[in-house]
Amino acid sequence: KHIRFELIPHKQQHSIAGIGFNLSEKFNIVASGQPFDICFHLEINNFRGQSKLQLRIIDLKQSNHAVK
């Protein structure tokens, strides 16, 4: 039911985790390798004693903009 992935912003080296609860129907958009637009909240994930920044995905859709 959920999707989890690592986002690497265009022309960047570092990634940030994203998680979308009840968004599994959007998996094909993420897996396509094409640009997509996301709406998210930035939050801290505390797991097993480690704190990391992550994106809580609210929704996503295929982008209408080309990457340059």
Side-chain angles (χ1 to χ4, degrees), residues 6-7 12 14-15 26 32 39 43 46 53 56 62:
E6 293 287 320
L7 293 168
Q12 298 294 316
H14 301 286
S15 66
K26 308 280 183 151
S32 73
C39 179
E43 67 181 15
N46 297 304
L53 210 52
R56 172 72 64 96
Q62 184 136 4

Side-chain angles (χ1 to χ4, degrees), residues 14-67:
H14 301 286
S15 66
I16 186 169
I19 186 161
F21 294 104
N22 299 309
L23 291 177
S24 61
E25 73 277 0
K26 308 280 183 151
F27 176 78
N28 290 337
I29 295 171
V30 176
S32 73
Q34 298 299 310
F36 57 92
D37 299 324
I38 59 174
C39 179
F40 63 89
H41 291 278
L42 196 57
E43 67 181 15
I44 297 174
N45 178 13
N46 297 304
F47 184 69
R48 295 187 180 170
Q50 293 187 343
S51 297
K52 293 185 179 180
L53 210 52
Q54 77 175 10
L55 306 179
R56 172 72 64 96
I57 309 301
I58 298 167
D59 200 6
L60 56 93
K61 68 175 186 168
Q62 184 136 4
S63 181
N64 294 327
H65 304 287
V67 174

